[in-house]
Amino acid sequence: MQPPRIGIVEDNEAFRHALAQAIEADAGLQLAGSAADVRGGMALLARERPDVLLVDLGLPDGSGLALIREAARTLPDCDVMVITVFGDERHVLESIEAGATGYLLKTGLPLDLSAQVRALREGGSPISPVIARRLLTRLAPSPSSPPEPTAGDPGLSQREIDVLQYAAKGFSYDEIAGLLDVTRHTVMTYVKRSYRKLQVHSRTEALHEARLLGLLRD
């Protein structure tokens, strides 16, 4: 099996070089390429089709959100991790809504970046602790207000909908297991069942279909 290919979009040359070095130092990862702005990032996505995109939000010619949305649109199996200085709620929520599944702050960036990238690829959602705390308090759905059923409901159980709801908010499968007080294996069972019922093959597709069916709350 080929190692996952990592694309980097970061305007700070020294930081971009440091990220590239961290990827190249790990034999289990492969650097697909790097870019310094949105335009270069768009070309990188189209040309290299990376498995993972590491992207900054504040780029010289626009926002990294455009790249997150493009990756979600054209590369549904590409995992996106934001690496930025912006830790405010607006940037975090906009990134998750656009399709990012990881969010790390440059201040306090983990030394084991390659491990974070592998965790992202394996279905986790690496998030800086300060961001995770905000999400846990701000975004945890209330169990007393389940989503209203719709005519197009494909028959998902409430637990399967709960898992998709948490996943839509950016929680990792391990975090979802803790919030629902079940094992990670149980969460993965719910995920596989929901994929089958929605007739999809990835988390991005599942969340897209669930939103179209009105199963998820914004």
Side-chain angles (χ1 to χ4, degrees):
M1 181 181 295
Q2 292 291 326
R5 303 174 67 251
I6 318 302
I8 300 170
V9 183
E10 164 61 52
D11 63 320
N12 183 292
E13 183 177 0
F15 193 76
R16 184 172 67 249
H17 182 64
L19 292 177
Q21 280 189 318
I23 298 303
E24 291 177 321
D26 191 313
L29 303 174
Q30 180 181 348
L31 182 65
S34 63
D37 51 29
V38 173
R39 181 178 179 181
M42 291 291 187
L44 175 65
L45 288 174
R47 182 181 66 251
E48 300 296 340
R49 301 182 67 82
D51 300 304
V52 176
L53 180 68
L54 308 181
V55 59
D56 192 6
L57 295 179
L59 298 169
D61 57 345
S63 170
L65 290 170
L67 292 168
I68 301 174
R69 295 187 183 105
E70 180 68 8
R73 185 180 71 84
T74 62
L75 301 171
D77 291 328
C78 177
D79 294 299
V80 179
M81 181 150 63
V82 173
I83 301 181
T84 185
V85 297
F86 299 116
D88 60 282
E89 185 175 290
R90 179 176 67 85
H91 281 97
V92 174
L93 295 182
E94 286 179 345
S95 297
I96 293 173
E97 179 64 27
T101 48
Y103 201 105
L104 299 178
L105 296 177
K106 289 182 178 179
T107 53
L109 189 68
L111 296 176
D112 57 342
L113 177 64
S114 61
Q116 303 297 317
V117 172
R118 287 196 301 274
L120 182 75
R121 193 58 187 164
E122 291 168 2
S125 295
I127 300 177
S128 291
V130 63
I131 301 298
R133 282 194 295 272
R134 291 174 186 169
L135 289 175
L136 285 167
T137 56
R138 169 70 171 82
L139 299 177
S142 170
S144 62
S145 55
E148 293 294 326
T150 68
D153 192 335
L156 270 67
S157 70
Q158 185 57 54
R159 276 300 201 184
E160 289 160 358
I161 294 173
D162 289 342
V163 168
L164 288 175
Q165 184 71 59
Y166 279 116
K169 301 302 185 182
F171 293 113
S172 70
Y173 294 138
D174 287 332
E175 290 169 335
I176 294 172
L179 290 165
L180 296 180
D181 195 25
V182 298
T183 67
R184 189 180 195 278
H185 176 75
T186 299
V187 169
M188 295 308 299
T189 298
Y190 291 140
V191 170
K192 291 175 183 177
R193 288 176 182 170
S194 64
Y195 281 13
R196 183 174 66 251
K197 292 176 182 178
L198 292 169
Q199 299 181 26
V200 298
H201 303 285
S202 71
R203 174 167 48 188
T204 300
E205 290 177 313
L207 296 180
H208 177 70
E209 288 299 320
R211 286 193 177 99
L212 288 179
L213 292 167
L215 299 176
L216 301 183
R217 300 187 303 278
D218 293 331

